[in-house]
Amino acid sequence: MVRPIKTQWQNVSRGFWFYPGLVALALAGLAVALVELDRALTADGLAVLFDGDASAARSILSTVAGSLITVAGLAFSITVVASQLVSGQFTPRAIRSFLGDRVSQLLAGAFVGIFAYCLLVLRAVRAENESDGFVPSLAVTVGILLGLVGLVLLLAFIHRITQLIKVENIAARIAGETLSSVDTLYPEPYGEPQQDGTALLAQWEVDSEPVVIRPERPGYVQTIALDELEAALPGSARVDVVVRPGDWVTQESPLARVWGADGADGALRERVGKLFAVQSERDIAEDVGFGLRQLADIALRAISPGVNDPTTAVTCIGYLRAVLEQLAGRDFPTGVRRLSGSQTVVTRGPSFEKLVREAFAEIGRYASADPRVAASLLEALAEVARAARAAGAPERLPSLLETSEDVAVRALEDARTARDRALVEERLAAVRALAS
């Protein structure tokens, strides 16, 4: 299956071992290649910069290898400490994005790779009094250069990590990934609401009992390979996809219900079940709500009494606004889909109203004590409402107005000055004017 492989690739590439391992293997391969090149050019090695004996070569390579493995240990220690800081200070759900930074992965891999390079070259060094005396001068010279490069990369790595753990950059990275998912999942501009599958499901349920597809393990639904359903289903199958990416399921939760597949229950369950990737954590790739959840979590942590950082909350609200402005003008491809032949699929997706609540409702519940945060939240809702009106989606305005009213009621109750009250009322009036 193409999609399960793609899902596994996403999980592997976001780990902090795959790309560092590739870099280490590449440098190990470079060591073997340069040693063989030295042997091929001359029995005594190719003298470029290094012209010392075997003892000097071993000493230099041992020093570089020892230094770089120490640097590698330092780099991984910094990464662990930084990930703990991200988890504790912002949100544990941001660690996946933090560890998936490609630059820091490649830099960490370079430290391990230089260490491996030096060990492999060191293995090839032979003293002149040995039967096969050999000093790979070119390989040793490159090892010296790599040692110097490693020191520069250490500074680059420290700079990269310090930039990654800045809350502005964390929020920007999450928002960028979320906007990229919006472009992938919802590429079409807003159109008429699609056909609701409620009537079809009621008819199917009367006709016969469905085959229920269940997961093999509890966890979050990461991806659903809807584009591969056609190949996995009989020609006249009717499918109700019960879950959506981001939903939590257990072994008893239905993933999908299939009608018109009599006599093939076991094989069908296996084929269709493989199209649902259930993992221990959510992923932004097909779950825009997860990106909104992370930004909302950072904002909530920022306005908590223990942190008290409204500026960070306002920053996250700005990025939430940017994502929802895009979603307000996009078509949500859910409902009834017709595949080739007589196959019919009913899908469920996150509604615009649900995404608005996930982004703003919880922040509004706790932002009432800070008029600046509450006003920023109401301003963001007004701008999203403006984007929805511009896209010709009036049915998306009531949820924005409802959320604004909830935010404003709490903020007005906790307002300490007439100026704070006036600010909240002004922002609420702007939403009401756009939603009317």
Side-chain angles (χ1 to χ4, degrees):
M1 297 293 181
V2 175
R3 184 61 63 86
I5 294 175
K6 181 180 178 181
T7 301
Q8 293 299 324
W9 166 248
Q10 289 174 350
N11 292 329
V12 167
S13 64
R14 284 181 175 271
F16 204 77
W17 66 270
F18 182 73
Y19 283 101
L22 287 182
V23 175
L25 287 175
L27 287 172
L30 177 64
V32 173
L34 289 180
V35 168
E36 292 303 317
L37 179 61
D38 266 307
R39 292 185 187 278
L41 292 176
T42 172
D44 297 326
L46 178 65
V48 179
L49 295 177
F50 180 79
D51 57 357
D53 57 10
S55 177
R58 287 170 176 166
S59 177
I60 291 174
L61 292 172
S62 298
T63 301
V64 174
S67 301
L68 266 297
I69 197 60
T70 302
V71 169
L74 175 62
F76 290 119
S77 297
I78 292 173
T79 302
V80 171
V81 172
S83 63
Q84 290 176 337
L85 177 63
V86 170
S87 176
Q89 188 72 17
F90 307 120
T91 171
R93 280 156 289 281
I95 292 180
R96 181 177 176 87
S97 177
F98 170 76
L99 294 179
D101 179 66
R102 199 72 69 237
V103 175
S104 58
Q105 289 179 348
L106 295 177
L107 291 173
F111 301 141
V112 178
I114 295 173
F115 170 75
Y117 175 94
C118 292
L119 285 187
L120 291 174
V121 176
L122 185 61
R123 180 175 174 271
V125 176
R126 297 288 186 273
E128 293 182 359
N129 57 2
E130 298 179 21
S131 59
D132 56 345
F134 174 66
V135 177
S137 299
L138 177 59
V140 174
T141 300
V142 173
I144 296 172
L145 295 176
L146 287 176
L148 297 176
V149 169
L151 298 178
V152 177
L153 293 182
L154 175 61
L155 298 177
F157 180 82
I158 294 174
H159 171 75
R160 183 68 179 182
I161 292 296
T162 55
Q163 292 299 309
L164 286 177
I165 62 176
K166 292 173 64 176
V167 65
E168 295 86 356
N169 293 334
I170 292 174
R173 182 181 181 88
I174 295 171
E177 293 179 357
T178 307
L179 288 169
S180 177
S181 293
V182 169
D183 291 336
T184 301
L185 299 174
Y186 312 110
E188 299 298 327
Y190 175 80
E192 292 298 323
Q194 298 191 20
Q195 178 186 354
D196 188 356
T198 305
L200 272 179
L201 291 176
Q203 179 183 345
W204 295 350
E205 289 170 353
V206 171
D207 292 344
S208 62
E209 287 294 321
V211 176
V212 181
I213 312 299
R214 304 184 192 277
E216 297 180 353
R217 51 163 292 183
Y220 289 102
V221 178
Q222 270 195 4
T223 59
I224 303 174
L226 290 176
D227 50 349
E228 298 181 30
L229 266 176
E230 182 176 353
L233 295 172
S236 59
R238 294 159 291 167
V239 186
D240 173 26
V241 179
V242 180
V243 296
R244 62 179 68 92
D247 285 352
W248 172 266
V249 296
T250 69
Q251 291 96 324
E252 299 302 318
S253 303
L255 296 173
R257 299 183 298 168
V258 182
W259 286 266
D262 299 336
D265 292 10
L268 180 71
R269 286 191 175 95
E270 182 179 358
R271 291 197 306 271
V272 177
K274 290 180 179 179
L275 305 181
F276 294 80
V278 178
Q279 302 293 332
S280 58
E281 57 184 334
R282 297 169 70 178
D283 185 74
I284 295 179
E286 291 192 12
D287 182 9
V288 172
F290 184 46
L292 299 176
R293 179 73 268 165
Q294 292 182 67
L295 291 169
D297 284 347
I298 297 173
L300 288 167
R301 189 72 62 91
I303 58 178
S304 65
V307 178
N308 194 23
D309 181 13
T311 300
T312 293
V314 170
T315 299
C316 291
I317 290 171
Y319 283 118
L320 288 169
R321 165 187 160 184
V323 175
L324 287 172
E325 282 177 342
Q326 293 298 312
L327 287 169
R330 302 297 178 93
D331 189 41
F332 283 43
T334 59
V336 179
R337 298 187 182 187
R338 308 285 181 179
L339 303 181
S340 63
S342 57
Q343 294 176 336
T344 304
V345 179
V346 175
T347 62
R348 294 168 173 81
S351 64
F352 180 76
E353 292 75 14
K354 180 180 184 298
L355 294 175
V356 169
R357 289 195 301 271
E358 185 156 17
F360 289 143
E362 198 169 355
I363 300 175
R365 189 173 299 119
Y366 295 100
S368 59
D370 193 314
R372 178 188 172 199
V373 178
S376 296
L377 195 55
L378 290 170
E379 182 181 9
L381 285 162
E383 294 303 321
V384 176
R386 184 172 284 107
R389 283 185 68 91
E395 71 276 3
R396 292 178 174 175
L397 297 174
S399 63
L400 295 168
L401 179 58
E402 180 183 356
T403 304
S404 301
E405 297 281 2
D406 291 342
V407 173
V409 166
R410 294 186 177 90
L412 290 173
E413 288 177 353
D414 294 339
R416 298 182 180 180
T417 66
R419 183 176 181 180
D420 291 345
R421 179 179 293 275
L423 178 62
V424 172
E425 290 176 344
E426 177 187 350
R427 299 293 170 81
L428 177 61
V431 181
R432 286 173 174 170
L434 289 165
S436 60

